[in-house]
Amino acid sequence: MSTIDNLPPLREVIDTHGIAAKKSLGQNFLLDLNLTAKIARMAGDLSGADVLEVGPGPGGLTRGLLAEGARRVLAIEKDERCMSALAEISAAYPGQLEVINGDALEVNPLTYLTPPIKVAANLPYNVGTELLVRWLTPPEWPPFWESLTLMFQREVAQRIVAQPGTKAYGRLALLAQWRAEPRIVLDLPPEAFSPPPKVSSAVVHLTALPAPRFEADPAVLNRVVAAGFNQRRKMLRSALKVLGPDIEDHLVAAGIKPTERAEQVSLEEFCALARSVASAS
Ligand code: SAM
């Protein structure tokens, strides 16, 4: 029995259900249930909330979320091998855990969950950033989620909280800081995982702001920022040429020097640029 519930320790679960970690699915499991409960606490008070968990694997974080009092958990896992292990957790928490065997990029969580909704996940790097960008750029705001508590490679976590003028500053920082308040809440060494990945990890907590910090159309802002940082060493008037021939006028209208590089441009200035570009189209 484990320290947080009456279910078997995770090593035993992995052996019993034959869930040897697969590299192709980005599987680096958290086996310490005290640590997964700690990460669940970082998602805030779960007692009145539904939780979307992406990539539960053998269920370490899922058990943490349930033990910390989540009202309901929807867990979406791609790996069929994990289903029997997750079914045991469902049985231990009747009516509280729903598991979907599928790709999180293709499931609409709102079909299953009722607000307030918090998101918690320890995901492979590429899926994690793809989902983060999607969760930050819906056409309407506020979004379906109140907060996101997500594990990333440390370097990606630093990109999310980065400030202008730093190497880590770019699209992720701008999108995250535009509509949310991101903070790194925990650093984890490779040894916290089984098998240990090559790099360190960090948990980022993002709280959705009631309204974006500055007005801008999400699709236009996303396009402007992606183009600006795609060629980050170039002056903006060259890097943004792909957006149209009059981009230099838009830069001036937004109060940005056309010779500036994306790294030096603040969130407020990028939003002004996105508004100017949108008004002309
Ligand atoms: N949450 C578990 C933990 O902390 O031990 C597992 C973490 S492991 C880093 C990532 C999990 O995400 C794996 O179980 C993997 O199968 C799953 N996964 C990968 N891609 C996915 C996708 N597109 N949709 C849902 N789950 C996915």
Side-chain angles (χ1 to χ4, degrees):
M1 295 302 140
S2 83
T3 47
I4 65 164
D5 53 33
N6 289 327
L7 292 157
L10 284 159
R11 251 180 226 294
E12 195 179 313
V13 171
I14 287 171
D15 288 346
T16 310
H17 298 273
I19 321 176
K22 273 192 192 168
K23 219 176 173 179
S24 60
L25 284 168
Q27 291 181 335
N28 301 97
F29 299 133
L30 290 167
L31 301 186
D32 177 350
L33 286 158
N34 292 314
L35 178 58
T36 62
K38 184 173 170 182
I39 296 170
R41 282 197 290 279
M42 288 170 170
D45 181 10
L46 300 178
S47 55
D50 280 6
V51 180
L52 167 64
E53 188 195 354
V54 185
L61 182 56
T62 321
R63 287 164 63 177
L65 293 164
L66 289 162
E68 288 303 316
R71 183 171 65 187
R72 287 191 65 227
V73 176
L74 171 70
I76 308 170
E77 171 57 60
K78 204 170 174 181
D79 186 352
E80 222 236 307
R81 298 176 308 157
C82 300
M83 292 305 114
S84 53
L86 295 167
E88 283 183 0
I89 308 173
S90 260
Y93 289 91
Q96 280 182 269
L97 171 63
E98 180 153 5
V99 181
I100 295 179
N101 184 198
D103 185 338
L105 294 164
E106 280 159 24
V107 178
N108 175 8
L110 279 179
T111 321
Y112 304 86
L113 299 177
T114 320
I117 299 168
K118 296 179 189 248
V119 178
N122 170 20
L123 269 173
Y125 154 78
N126 55 341
V127 187
T129 38
E130 164 76 33
L131 281 171
L132 175 63
V133 170
R134 280 196 201 182
W135 288 328
L136 290 168
T137 55
E140 303 297 331
W141 201 263
F144 76 87
W145 51 272
E146 260 186 5
S147 69
L148 310 172
T149 306
L150 307 172
M151 180 85 70
F152 287 103
Q153 294 180 8
R154 188 158 164 71
E155 180 236 317
V156 177
Q158 282 165 336
R159 279 167 39 203
I160 295 169
V161 300
Q163 294 301 307
T166 63
K167 241 176 109 184
Y169 183 64
R171 180 166 166 253
L172 278 185
L174 282 153
L175 294 181
Q177 294 169 34
W178 175 46
R179 283 171 148 181
E181 181 91 61
R183 275 179 309 130
I184 294 181
V185 289
L186 184 68
D187 285 310
L188 287 173
E191 308 81 63
F193 302 85
S194 172
K198 289 203 177 75
V199 292
S200 295
S201 301
V203 176
V204 184
H205 181 79
L206 299 101
T207 313
L209 295 172
R213 282 184 216 279
F214 307 102
E215 202 189 309
D217 178 280
V220 181
L221 180 65
N222 199 3
R223 216 167 346 118
V224 166
V225 168
F229 285 94
N230 203 12
Q231 304 187 60
R232 58 190 300 145
R233 286 208 201 94
K234 283 199 178 167
M235 292 178 200
L236 278 173
R237 70 169 168 224
S238 318
L240 296 180
K241 246 188 197 142
V242 287
L243 298 176
D246 49 0
I247 193 63
E248 195 149 342
D249 297 341
H250 291 305
L251 284 165
V252 173
I256 304 168
K257 271 199 236 138
T259 52
E260 203 75 274
R261 286 172 180 78
E263 206 175 283
Q264 303 299 334
V265 176
S266 69
L267 171 61
E268 186 170 7
E269 290 168 326
F270 266 118
C271 289
L273 179 59
R275 287 198 301 276
S276 178
V277 169
S279 70
S281 56

